[in-house]
Amino acid sequence: MKVNDLILKTATNVVSFIIITFSIYLFFTGHYTPGGGFIGGLMTSGGLLLLLLAYDLETVQSIIPFDFKKVIATGLLLALGTGIGGLFFDKPFLTHTYGYFDLPFFGEDTALATATLFDLGVYLVVVGITMTIIQTIGESE
Amino acid sequence: MSFQILLNVIIALLWMFFQNAWNGLAFSKGYLVGIIILFCLRRFFPTRFYIQKLVAIVYLLLLFLVELLKANYSVLKEVIRPTLKIQPGIFALPLEVEKDWEIMLLANMITLTPGTLVVDISDDNSVLYIHAMHIDDVHEAIDDIKNSFEKAIMEVSR
């Protein structure tokens, strides 16, 4: 009994892009407004989960050929690395800094903070863990 | 269509280069110049002029909004009527549109206008099965959808 799920698939092709775009916006807006790495990562996983609902597991794994366990490891390394970075400047562990730089395209006085890198680590860990859990449960017969 | 839009953006960027002005106003002027040039040379393109397509998209949107208001009003009348006088039923609507996104758009529009609801699609994507709240005349309902939504969608994708 196979139903024709053309409407779901076609809507997914559009909607998942919107969800992932919004999740990246949430990730970058976390410094001054509500948002950040955790909710951004969860929302990216939500977009990928919609793909998993519309298509099957093998198709999505061929589209996004990441080993999500390695994604978790990368995120943890990033967060740890930003923590260790403070030690090189005789500051305590996890001291974050920021500076204003004159970048060519982004305009003058662009604020760049190392907290963003820490947040990126959080983001990767959340995406990796969510997708690992979902795929592990989905694969088990 | 996308090629024509890309060409129009390139003409607008060229205009900004000629003017040596890097702001939105110069870009808009260049875009207008590009529209005029593309309109004059529209017979060179294999597809039709893309402004016509934009007009068709806007027309589809407006048609959908008007139908939504009308249909909701009719459902409101059904709800506040003291006696129930509906005759539900399911009928088949043969499709003329073929692309995936056209079928999705048509199905969602039929569902969003109350009184009708898409239940299923046949396996070869050629028939929509629609549940109607009030079937007086099946052929009338089919013609109604075909003449309004499907025609407008075909106009967009022509």
Side-chain angles (χ1 to χ4, degrees), chain A residues 1-14, chain B residues 100-101 103-104 107-108 118 120-125 128:
Chain A
M1 179 62 197
K2 192 187 172 306
V3 290
N4 188 355
D5 48 6
L6 171 125
I7 296 174
L8 174 68
K9 281 181 178 173
T10 318
T12 300
N13 291 345
V14 179
Chain B
D100 285 358
W101 65 268
I103 296 172
M104 183 195 80
N108 283 332
V118 173
D120 203 0
I121 312 178
S122 67
D123 284 338
D124 55 353
N125 300 340
L128 277 182

mmCIF file of all heavy atoms in Angstrom, chain A residues 1-14, chain B residues 100-101 103-104 107-108 118 120-125 128:
data_model
loop_
_atom_site.group_PDB
_atom_site.id
_atom_site.type_symbol
_atom_site.label_atom_id
_atom_site.label_comp_id
_atom_site.label_asym_id
_atom_site.label_seq_id
_atom_site.Cartn_x
_atom_site.Cartn_y
_atom_site.Cartn_z
ATOM 1 N N MET A 1 0.859 -1.203 0.000
ATOM 2 C CA MET A 1 0.000 0.000 0.000
ATOM 3 C C MET A 1 0.884 1.238 0.000
ATOM 4 O O MET A 1 1.372 1.699 1.027
ATOM 5 C CB MET A 1 -0.882 -0.040 1.259
ATOM 6 C CG MET A 1 -1.805 1.166 1.409
ATOM 7 S SD MET A 1 -2.977 1.277 0.065
ATOM 8 C CE MET A 1 -3.524 2.967 0.234
ATOM 9 N N LYS A 2 1.131 1.754 -1.184
ATOM 10 C CA LYS A 2 1.973 2.946 -1.282
ATOM 11 C C LYS A 2 1.101 4.118 -1.714
ATOM 12 O O LYS A 2 0.436 4.058 -2.740
ATOM 13 C CB LYS A 2 3.078 2.706 -2.315
ATOM 14 C CG LYS A 2 4.149 3.769 -2.260
ATOM 15 C CD LYS A 2 5.126 3.614 -3.401
ATOM 16 C CE LYS A 2 6.063 4.804 -3.440
ATOM 17 N NZ LYS A 2 5.348 6.096 -3.496
ATOM 18 N N VAL A 3 1.097 5.170 -0.883
ATOM 19 C CA VAL A 3 0.297 6.335 -1.246
ATOM 20 C C VAL A 3 1.155 7.294 -2.054
ATOM 21 O O VAL A 3 2.377 7.285 -1.969
ATOM 22 C CB VAL A 3 -0.255 7.042 0.009
ATOM 23 C CG1 VAL A 3 -1.307 6.196 0.664
ATOM 24 C CG2 VAL A 3 0.853 7.381 0.965
ATOM 25 N N ASN A 4 0.485 8.110 -2.828
ATOM 26 C CA ASN A 4 1.179 9.099 -3.656
ATOM 27 C C ASN A 4 1.380 10.370 -2.823
ATOM 28 O O ASN A 4 0.444 11.107 -2.571
ATOM 29 C CB ASN A 4 0.327 9.372 -4.900
ATOM 30 C CG ASN A 4 1.070 10.218 -5.885
ATOM 31 O OD1 ASN A 4 2.170 10.677 -5.613
ATOM 32 N ND2 ASN A 4 0.487 10.425 -7.045
ATOM 33 N N ASP A 5 2.620 10.595 -2.368
ATOM 34 C CA ASP A 5 2.868 11.746 -1.493
ATOM 35 C C ASP A 5 3.572 12.875 -2.248
ATOM 36 O O ASP A 5 4.529 13.456 -1.770
ATOM 37 C CB ASP A 5 3.682 11.343 -0.266
ATOM 38 C CG ASP A 5 4.885 10.518 -0.645
ATOM 39 O OD1 ASP A 5 5.121 10.366 -1.852
ATOM 40 O OD2 ASP A 5 5.575 10.041 0.253
ATOM 41 N N LEU A 6 3.078 13.149 -3.448
ATOM 42 C CA LEU A 6 3.689 14.192 -4.288
ATOM 43 C C LEU A 6 3.590 15.565 -3.658
ATOM 44 O O LEU A 6 4.538 16.349 -3.715
ATOM 45 C CB LEU A 6 2.987 14.187 -5.639
ATOM 46 C CG LEU A 6 3.289 15.314 -6.612
ATOM 47 C CD1 LEU A 6 3.747 14.748 -7.905
ATOM 48 C CD2 LEU A 6 2.089 16.195 -6.827
ATOM 49 N N ILE A 7 2.446 15.865 -3.025
ATOM 50 C CA ILE A 7 2.254 17.204 -2.460
ATOM 51 C C ILE A 7 3.207 17.417 -1.298
ATOM 52 O O ILE A 7 3.844 18.467 -1.180
ATOM 53 C CB ILE A 7 0.796 17.389 -2.019
ATOM 54 C CG1 ILE A 7 -0.112 17.324 -3.236
ATOM 55 C CG2 ILE A 7 0.603 18.715 -1.310
ATOM 56 C CD1 ILE A 7 -1.561 17.359 -2.913
ATOM 57 N N LEU A 8 3.369 16.387 -0.450
ATOM 58 C CA LEU A 8 4.290 16.499 0.692
ATOM 59 C C LEU A 8 5.721 16.718 0.224
ATOM 60 O O LEU A 8 6.432 17.590 0.728
ATOM 61 C CB LEU A 8 4.201 15.228 1.540
ATOM 62 C CG LEU A 8 5.194 15.133 2.691
ATOM 63 C CD1 LEU A 8 4.886 16.163 3.745
ATOM 64 C CD2 LEU A 8 5.186 13.754 3.298
ATOM 65 N N LYS A 9 6.145 15.950 -0.791
ATOM 66 C CA LYS A 9 7.526 16.066 -1.262
ATOM 67 C C LYS A 9 7.775 17.432 -1.884
ATOM 68 O O LYS A 9 8.810 18.066 -1.629
ATOM 69 C CB LYS A 9 7.825 14.963 -2.281
ATOM 70 C CG LYS A 9 8.099 13.634 -1.619
ATOM 71 C CD LYS A 9 8.421 12.561 -2.627
ATOM 72 C CE LYS A 9 8.745 11.263 -1.916
ATOM 73 N NZ LYS A 9 8.913 10.148 -2.830
ATOM 74 N N THR A 10 6.829 17.897 -2.698
ATOM 75 C CA THR A 10 7.039 19.180 -3.368
ATOM 76 C C THR A 10 7.054 20.325 -2.377
ATOM 77 O O THR A 10 7.862 21.253 -2.495
ATOM 78 C CB THR A 10 5.924 19.413 -4.408
ATOM 79 O OG1 THR A 10 5.684 18.202 -5.086
ATOM 80 C CG2 THR A 10 6.337 20.468 -5.391
ATOM 81 N N ALA A 11 6.183 20.243 -1.362
ATOM 82 C CA ALA A 11 6.173 21.298 -0.342
ATOM 83 C C ALA A 11 7.450 21.248 0.483
ATOM 84 O O ALA A 11 8.008 22.295 0.837
ATOM 85 C CB ALA A 11 4.953 21.140 0.553
ATOM 86 N N THR A 12 7.946 20.021 0.758
ATOM 87 C CA THR A 12 9.173 19.873 1.537
ATOM 88 C C THR A 12 10.356 20.512 0.835
ATOM 89 O O THR A 12 11.190 21.164 1.470
ATOM 90 C CB THR A 12 9.459 18.382 1.771
ATOM 91 O OG1 THR A 12 8.370 17.826 2.478
ATOM 92 C CG2 THR A 12 10.725 18.192 2.561
ATOM 93 N N ASN A 13 10.435 20.344 -0.502
ATOM 94 C CA ASN A 13 11.558 20.908 -1.257
ATOM 95 C C ASN A 13 11.659 22.407 -1.055
ATOM 96 O O ASN A 13 12.755 22.963 -1.118
ATOM 97 C CB ASN A 13 11.380 20.610 -2.747
ATOM 98 C CG ASN A 13 11.538 19.150 -3.043
ATOM 99 O OD1 ASN A 13 12.043 18.420 -2.216
ATOM 100 N ND2 ASN A 13 11.097 18.725 -4.213
ATOM 101 N N VAL A 14 10.527 23.091 -0.854
ATOM 102 C CA VAL A 14 10.553 24.537 -0.658
ATOM 103 C C VAL A 14 10.734 24.876 0.810
ATOM 104 O O VAL A 14 11.577 25.693 1.190
ATOM 105 C CB VAL A 14 9.251 25.161 -1.199
ATOM 106 C CG1 VAL A 14 9.263 26.655 -0.989
ATOM 107 C CG2 VAL A 14 9.087 24.848 -2.658
ATOM 108 N N ASP B 100 5.141 19.023 -10.971
ATOM 109 C CA ASP B 100 4.894 18.750 -9.555
ATOM 110 C C ASP B 100 4.394 19.985 -8.821
ATOM 111 O O ASP B 100 3.414 19.933 -8.076
ATOM 112 C CB ASP B 100 6.186 18.262 -8.888
ATOM 113 C CG ASP B 100 6.483 16.840 -9.277
ATOM 114 O OD1 ASP B 100 5.674 16.273 -10.012
ATOM 115 O OD2 ASP B 100 7.516 16.316 -8.834
ATOM 116 N N TRP B 101 5.088 21.112 -9.032
ATOM 117 C CA TRP B 101 4.740 22.299 -8.242
ATOM 118 C C TRP B 101 3.385 22.844 -8.641
ATOM 119 O O TRP B 101 2.673 23.398 -7.807
ATOM 120 C CB TRP B 101 5.823 23.370 -8.354
ATOM 121 C CG TRP B 101 5.997 23.956 -9.710
ATOM 122 C CD1 TRP B 101 6.847 23.533 -10.677
ATOM 123 C CD2 TRP B 101 5.320 25.096 -10.250
ATOM 124 N NE1 TRP B 101 6.739 24.320 -11.782
ATOM 125 C CE2 TRP B 101 5.812 25.285 -11.550
ATOM 126 C CE3 TRP B 101 4.347 25.973 -9.754
ATOM 127 C CZ2 TRP B 101 5.364 26.312 -12.373
ATOM 128 C CZ3 TRP B 101 3.904 26.989 -10.579
ATOM 129 C CH2 TRP B 101 4.405 27.154 -11.873
ATOM 130 N N ILE B 103 0.800 20.981 -9.559
ATOM 131 C CA ILE B 103 -0.195 20.121 -8.900
ATOM 132 C C ILE B 103 -0.296 20.479 -7.427
ATOM 133 O O ILE B 103 -1.389 20.556 -6.856
ATOM 134 C CB ILE B 103 0.181 18.636 -9.090
ATOM 135 C CG1 ILE B 103 0.125 18.273 -10.563
ATOM 136 C CG2 ILE B 103 -0.751 17.745 -8.305
ATOM 137 C CD1 ILE B 103 0.660 16.912 -10.871
ATOM 138 N N MET B 104 0.885 20.735 -6.798
ATOM 139 C CA MET B 104 0.879 21.090 -5.380
ATOM 140 C C MET B 104 0.118 22.392 -5.155
ATOM 141 O O MET B 104 -0.699 22.503 -4.246
ATOM 142 C CB MET B 104 2.317 21.236 -4.874
ATOM 143 C CG MET B 104 2.381 21.533 -3.404
ATOM 144 S SD MET B 104 3.973 22.126 -2.878
ATOM 145 C CE MET B 104 3.882 23.830 -3.366
ATOM 146 N N ALA B 107 -3.620 21.844 -5.646
ATOM 147 C CA ALA B 107 -4.218 21.073 -4.556
ATOM 148 C C ALA B 107 -4.340 21.927 -3.305
ATOM 149 O O ALA B 107 -5.379 21.898 -2.621
ATOM 150 C CB ALA B 107 -3.365 19.837 -4.275
ATOM 151 N N ASN B 108 -3.306 22.716 -3.009
ATOM 152 C CA ASN B 108 -3.368 23.547 -1.806
ATOM 153 C C ASN B 108 -4.413 24.642 -1.937
ATOM 154 O O ASN B 108 -5.090 24.985 -0.963
ATOM 155 C CB ASN B 108 -2.003 24.160 -1.518
ATOM 156 C CG ASN B 108 -1.071 23.150 -0.896
ATOM 157 O OD1 ASN B 108 -1.526 22.237 -0.227
ATOM 158 N ND2 ASN B 108 0.199 23.299 -1.139
ATOM 159 N N VAL B 118 -8.882 18.453 -0.850
ATOM 160 C CA VAL B 118 -8.225 17.410 -1.637
ATOM 161 C C VAL B 118 -7.950 16.216 -0.747
ATOM 162 O O VAL B 118 -7.349 16.351 0.311
ATOM 163 C CB VAL B 118 -6.917 17.924 -2.250
ATOM 164 C CG1 VAL B 118 -6.167 16.800 -2.907
ATOM 165 C CG2 VAL B 118 -7.209 19.002 -3.243
ATOM 166 N N ASP B 120 -6.907 12.880 -2.142
ATOM 167 C CA ASP B 120 -5.881 11.971 -2.639
ATOM 168 C C ASP B 120 -5.520 12.335 -4.078
ATOM 169 O O ASP B 120 -6.265 13.022 -4.770
ATOM 170 C CB ASP B 120 -6.399 10.529 -2.573
ATOM 171 C CG ASP B 120 -5.260 9.533 -2.517
ATOM 172 O OD1 ASP B 120 -4.101 9.992 -2.537
ATOM 173 O OD2 ASP B 120 -5.519 8.326 -2.459
ATOM 174 N N ILE B 121 -4.365 11.839 -4.507
ATOM 175 C CA ILE B 121 -3.970 11.954 -5.899
ATOM 176 C C ILE B 121 -3.836 10.553 -6.452
ATOM 177 O O ILE B 121 -3.402 9.645 -5.741
ATOM 178 C CB ILE B 121 -2.605 12.656 -6.063
ATOM 179 C CG1 ILE B 121 -2.535 13.925 -5.243
ATOM 180 C CG2 ILE B 121 -2.347 12.998 -7.494
ATOM 181 C CD1 ILE B 121 -1.204 14.590 -5.368
ATOM 182 N N SER B 122 -4.208 10.358 -7.713
ATOM 183 C CA SER B 122 -3.996 9.043 -8.300
ATOM 184 C C SER B 122 -2.501 8.824 -8.522
ATOM 185 O O SER B 122 -1.710 9.765 -8.528
ATOM 186 C CB SER B 122 -4.745 8.934 -9.625
ATOM 187 O OG SER B 122 -4.152 9.808 -10.555
ATOM 188 N N ASP B 123 -2.113 7.551 -8.725
ATOM 189 C CA ASP B 123 -0.688 7.223 -8.765
ATOM 190 C C ASP B 123 0.032 7.839 -9.954
ATOM 191 O O ASP B 123 1.233 8.084 -9.890
ATOM 192 C CB ASP B 123 -0.512 5.704 -8.790
ATOM 193 C CG ASP B 123 -0.752 5.113 -7.415
ATOM 194 O OD1 ASP B 123 -0.622 5.879 -6.446
ATOM 195 O OD2 ASP B 123 -1.078 3.925 -7.324
ATOM 196 N N ASP B 124 -0.682 8.079 -11.044
ATOM 197 C CA ASP B 124 -0.005 8.646 -12.215
ATOM 198 C C ASP B 124 -0.170 10.167 -12.284
ATOM 199 O O ASP B 124 0.040 10.755 -13.341
ATOM 200 C CB ASP B 124 -0.535 7.991 -13.497
ATOM 201 C CG ASP B 124 -2.046 8.116 -13.585
ATOM 202 O OD1 ASP B 124 -2.644 8.584 -12.601
ATOM 203 O OD2 ASP B 124 -2.615 7.758 -14.629
ATOM 204 N N ASN B 125 -0.543 10.776 -11.149
ATOM 205 C CA ASN B 125 -0.657 12.242 -11.038
ATOM 206 C C ASN B 125 -1.595 12.849 -12.070
ATOM 207 O O ASN B 125 -1.358 13.942 -12.552
ATOM 208 C CB ASN B 125 0.712 12.923 -11.184
ATOM 209 C CG ASN B 125 1.684 12.479 -10.130
ATOM 210 O OD1 ASN B 125 1.274 11.975 -9.093
ATOM 211 N ND2 ASN B 125 2.954 12.659 -10.394
ATOM 212 N N LEU B 128 -7.165 14.282 -9.374
ATOM 213 C CA LEU B 128 -7.279 14.670 -7.970
ATOM 214 C C LEU B 128 -8.630 14.206 -7.462
ATOM 215 O O LEU B 128 -9.637 14.356 -8.153
ATOM 216 C CB LEU B 128 -7.203 16.189 -7.810
ATOM 217 C CG LEU B 128 -5.862 16.893 -7.766
ATOM 218 C CD1 LEU B 128 -6.100 18.358 -7.550
ATOM 219 C CD2 LEU B 128 -5.016 16.356 -6.655
#
